[in-house]
Amino acid sequence: MWNITVFSKEKIIMMYEFNTEQEAREAFKNIYGNKILSEIIYFNDECLLLETV
């Protein structure tokens, strides 16, 4: 999951969530204000599971 956190001049914090990096990067270009793009990784995600034999 990808997250954009935006800090506006009015001291308002907004957060947007995206499923893919591409979606997040496209939205990041169009958002004004101080912003941070972050990747959120959950330890219980299936893509992070290791297969043991």
Side-chain angles (χ1 to χ4, degrees), residues 7-32:
F7 303 93
S8 69
K9 290 182 181 180
E10 295 82 26
K11 298 184 180 179
I12 297 173
I13 300 172
M14 295 176 285
M15 298 178 79
Y16 302 94
E17 292 182 3
F18 301 91
N19 290 325
T20 66
E21 181 180 2
Q22 183 179 2
E23 284 179 313
R25 291 197 179 272
E26 287 182 22
F28 191 81
K29 294 176 190 176
N30 299 321
I31 295 174
Y32 297 100

Side-chain angles (χ1 to χ4, degrees), residues 2-53:
W2 290 82
N3 183 6
I4 298 175
T5 306
V6 182
F7 303 93
S8 69
K9 290 182 181 180
E10 295 82 26
K11 298 184 180 179
I12 297 173
I13 300 172
M14 295 176 285
M15 298 178 79
Y16 302 94
E17 292 182 3
F18 301 91
N19 290 325
T20 66
E21 181 180 2
Q22 183 179 2
E23 284 179 313
R25 291 197 179 272
E26 287 182 22
F28 191 81
K29 294 176 190 176
N30 299 321
I31 295 174
Y32 297 100
N34 297 322
K35 54 197 174 188
I36 300 171
L37 176 62
S38 307
E39 181 178 15
I40 309 300
I41 300 173
Y42 294 103
F43 290 107
N44 60 349
D45 277 351
E46 291 180 9
C47 66
L48 298 175
L49 296 177
L50 295 176
E51 187 174 317
T52 57
V53 180

